[in-house]
DNA sequence: CTGAAAGCGCTTACAG
DNA sequence: CTGAAAGCGCTTACAG
């Protein structure tokens, strides 16, 4: 293979100047339609592609956006949170659709965000995908703001108003889950999941749950909340503690599917029938959810839509357009674990 | 925020020439240690980062590699094959470790590979992650070769010797799965999975399975092979067909975990005890596997290692070093579905 | 050990 | 409608 064709090569063959080639390839109306087409044909023949480095250097942008995944520290290193993975897929798609490239990186490996990305002109904007309160990242966030980097974070509204956040409405999600359970006649609903401010997502789900109870005039029993982090093991443990305590309950709403799956394992092991004796509703609708036994009723976050909004938002930021934080509504996926359907296949 | 600092700014402050700054930042021994350090301090103060576009343009490389995911056409559009997702994670890590960036793209969205990547100087090399025989991509593969693009594909050895492939040893994986089942005393082992050449991975797993049977002098019963594609539904269906047929079997080895999970659902529904009556072994060790009920015994492909090898291989290609195709050994993850352990939690 | 200069391949005012 | 020229921010022979 001979070395890559440049616009000069094309200019030579087309018998025009390099500037004209450049214009023609960008389809500028300035250049005569006929010459334009002739140039484009030659370009195709030579398999010519604009050199992005040169073009970006000149235009001072990169047409790529960076996705920084701040992995959930509660997960073991080898496995990415399944919800993130799903977001990754939708963000990749949305980015491509907008004609941008996506640079992916995991946070633990790089300690200097702005450095690695926008400052080195590799990305025009950044999407931060994390779980939790971003407290560990606060300092870096500040740095990003200070440098007026274009970035958007996934999650609950941030206390720093300069940070643009896009997230699913966890409060609403918690509300509909519990409301559903109440409508099915369940009265004592336990909540498994950290309710501290360290986990804003979980806390908001908890708060939504509480609001549903209050709205339906059910007493809130603090005894029915158990902390759990986002793992199967933690759900298993929390459910066992709940069982050991001896408090009566006929349903469990968990802050994540992983917790729900662990809880179901504990219930089954103790001979508790799901959903007959205890209904279970999870959160996230990760792929595993539909394969659980019984199949898990869960709150689904629309990752496809979320990815689109996320990408659209950074792009707006980059273009200097108006953007505001956004909460995406969730919806309930009803399967068998809540007892709403009788067919328990 | 003032505009980004350049090497000229640093040169000005350090009272040296821009060339010296460039050398100092690359830690060239040519420049006096003291000046070098002084310059580096200033660079840090100014939060300076080398402009990648300029640097890449000048050096004629991009320090990034592109990952093209050719999605399994049997999966529905919204969900990526979990095995790929896991590979994506490990490739991301491996790439970062080598100081390269990773550009991710899904195949359906872009029809012109070489165009979008190497030719436009955005990536120095390409990793193709696909499932199957790459027949649909043969034409494009040819184009890549023709353009002497640096690329490596995931999967079985390709019939075109010019293509460098890295993959797990599916034959060996099939072998150890069946061998394990035989050692546990199972005699009639069904195989669920396409055994045609359209699915070279599945076919090799099947062949390994057959070899294990032959080695242990068990008759091969063609009746015990059922086609299935890589979905839960397909596994469910195949297991039902098997059950309907009325042939006796005491174990099932499936070409993927998704198939295994569907098969287990069918077995349970028909009242067949797993693993007591029928042992099941899957393939992939996707996250769901450990949550299945019973927890799935499966053949694990070491994705972390595979990702490293993949990245290492493209890099070698890029550097013009010697590389050869590679088969990575798999290993068995023994859980409950094969009946090897009695504790069925 | 350091500087002046060329050049990577584009895009885009500027002039015609 | 087209061309000559500048310049994006680097890296690296070349000369000293």
């Amino acid at each position: 293979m001979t070395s890559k064709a440049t616009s000069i090569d094309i200019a030579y063959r087309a018998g025009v100047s390099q500037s004209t080639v450049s214009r023609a390839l960008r389809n500028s109306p300035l250049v005569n339609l006929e010459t334009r087409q002739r140039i484009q044909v030659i370009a195709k023949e030579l398999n010519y592609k604009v050199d992005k480095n040169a073009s970006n250097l000149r235009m001072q942008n990169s047409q790529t956006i960076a996705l920084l995944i701040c992995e959930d520290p509660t997960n073991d290193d080898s496995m990415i949170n399944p919800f993130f993975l799903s977001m990754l897929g939708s963000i990749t798609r949305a980015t491509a659709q907008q004609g941008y490239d996506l640079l992916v990186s995991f946070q633990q490996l790089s300690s200097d965000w702005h450095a690695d990305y926008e400052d080195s002109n590799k990305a025009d904007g950044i999407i931060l995908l994390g779980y939790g309160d971003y407290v560990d990242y606060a300092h870096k966030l500040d740095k990003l703001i200070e440098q007026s980097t274009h970035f958007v974070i996934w999650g609950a509204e941030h206390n720093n108003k300069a940070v643009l956040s896009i997230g699913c409405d966890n409060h609403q999600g918690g509300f509909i889950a519990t409301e559903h359970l109440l409508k099915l006649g369940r009265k004592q609903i336990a909540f498994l999941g950290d309710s501290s401010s360290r986990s804003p997502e979980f806390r908001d789900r908890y708060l939504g749950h509480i609001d549903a109870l209050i709205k339906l005039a059910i007493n809130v029993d603090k005894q029915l909340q158990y902390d759990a982090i986002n793992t199967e093991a933690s759900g298993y443990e929390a459910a066992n503690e709940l069982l050991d305590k001896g408090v009566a309950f006929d349903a469990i709403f968990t802050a994540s599917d992983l917790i729900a799956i662990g809880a179901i394992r504990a219930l089954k092991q103790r001979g508790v029938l799901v959903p007959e004796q205890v209904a279970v509703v999870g959160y996230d609708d990760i792929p595993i959810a539909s394969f659980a036994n019984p199949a898990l009723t869960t709150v689904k976050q629309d990752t496809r839509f979320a990815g689109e909004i996320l990408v659209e938002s950074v792009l707006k930021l980059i273009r200097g357009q108006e953007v505001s934080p956004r909460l995406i509504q969730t919806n309930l996926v009803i399967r068998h674990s809540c007892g709403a359907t009788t067919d328990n296949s």
Side-chain angles (χ1 to χ4, degrees), chain A:
Chain A
M1 168 196 190
T2 79
S3 75
K4 231 148 266 179
T6 70
S7 54
I8 300 268
D9 300 327
I10 298 176
Y12 177 77
R13 302 208 188 199
V16 296
S17 74
Q18 183 267 336
S19 341
T20 302
V21 171
S22 178
R23 290 197 191 91
L25 293 175
R26 320 193 92 230
N27 227 341
S28 159
L30 276 178
V31 20
N32 180 292
L33 182 61
E34 197 209 326
T35 2
R36 215 192 300 169
Q37 290 172 339
R38 186 159 46 89
I39 291 172
Q40 287 169 355
V41 167
I42 297 176
K44 187 150 278 172
E45 276 170 18
L46 294 185
N47 227 312
Y48 170 82
K49 292 294 154 185
V50 171
D51 182 306
K52 285 290 176 186
N53 286 133
S55 154
N56 290 340
L57 172 60
R58 178 57 229 250
M59 318 235 297
Q60 296 289 39
N61 76 3
S62 65
Q63 285 288 110
T64 107
I65 85 147
L67 171 65
L68 262 36
I69 301 181
C70 319
E71 265 187 88
D72 188 342
T74 60
N75 264 328
D76 88 59
D77 180 75
S78 66
M79 142 179 180
I80 310 170
N81 181 325
F83 174 74
F84 283 0
L85 242 20
S86 160
M87 287 294 289
L88 171 58
S90 78
I91 290 173
T92 309
R93 279 203 178 70
T95 314
Q97 239 147 39
Q98 301 281 347
Y100 273 70
D101 285 318
L102 218 222
L103 227 35
V104 177
S105 142
F106 286 90
Q107 186 41 22
Q108 329 99 301
L109 285 172
S110 147
S111 54
D112 209 0
W113 295 2
H114 66 288
D116 292 336
Y117 293 93
E118 219 184 39
D119 271 6
S120 42
N121 277 336
K122 286 196 293 188
D124 299 332
I126 300 180
I127 295 177
L128 295 185
L129 194 54
Y131 223 42
D133 55 6
Y134 291 92
V135 156
D136 299 342
Y137 304 116
H139 173 67
K140 298 188 167 188
L141 252 29
D142 287 346
K143 199 145 192 178
L144 289 179
I145 297 167
E146 183 190 314
Q147 313 227 324
S148 62
T149 302
H150 304 118
F151 73 100
V152 24
I153 72 174
W154 169 258
E157 202 147 343
H158 201 263
N159 45 21
N160 183 334
K161 287 300 169 196
V163 175
L164 176 64
S165 61
I166 306 287
C168 281
D169 192 336
N170 290 296
H171 187 282
Q172 176 253 355
F175 188 92
I176 60 173
T178 296
E179 184 187 46
H180 177 69
L181 251 9
L182 291 170
K183 279 187 184 154
L184 290 172
R186 306 290 169 155
K187 304 246 183 282
Q188 291 123 327
I189 307 174
F191 179 88
L192 265 34
D194 187 0
S195 67
S196 77
S197 63
R198 277 287 312 179
S199 307
E201 288 91 353
F202 284 12
R203 190 202 47 212
D204 287 351
R205 291 167 197 179
Y206 178 65
L207 263 23
H209 158 78
I210 296 292
D211 276 7
L213 293 178
I214 292 171
K215 185 187 154 210
L216 280 280
I218 298 270
N219 274 343
V220 175
D221 183 350
K222 289 282 179 194
Q223 299 232 306
L224 288 173
Q225 184 271 324
Y226 275 77
D227 277 359
I229 59 169
N230 191 18
T231 64
E232 199 262 357
S234 183
Y236 176 78
E237 200 183 319
N240 270 322
E241 280 175 35
L242 182 60
L243 254 8
D244 289 340
K245 193 95 162 242
V247 269
F249 63 98
D250 54 12
I252 298 180
F253 168 44
T254 65
S256 83
D257 285 348
L258 250 23
I259 296 176
I261 287 165
I264 290 177
R265 179 160 65 93
L267 293 170
K268 279 184 174 173
Q269 212 171 52
R270 302 279 202 107
V272 178
L273 295 177
V274 180
E276 294 79 357
Q277 298 175 310
V278 171
V280 177
V281 174
Y283 207 107
D284 281 343
D285 197 25
I286 59 178
I288 304 174
S290 59
F291 299 124
N293 193 312
L296 200 60
T297 291
T298 186
V299 178
K300 182 185 175 66
Q301 313 198 51
D302 188 341
T303 53
R304 173 173 284 252
F305 184 65
E308 284 165 10
I309 298 291
L310 237 20
V311 170
E312 197 180 280
S313 302
V314 229
L315 256 33
K316 278 186 178 163
L317 237 33
I318 293 170
R319 299 186 190 119
Q321 295 165 359
E322 193 77 13
V323 217
S324 39
R326 174 125 176 211
L327 272 187
I328 298 165
Q329 295 303 97
T330 61
N331 49 285
L332 204 60
V333 178
I334 298 172
R335 288 194 270 252
H336 305 304
S337 67
C338 61
T341 53
T342 49
D343 159 40
N344 185 12
S345 66

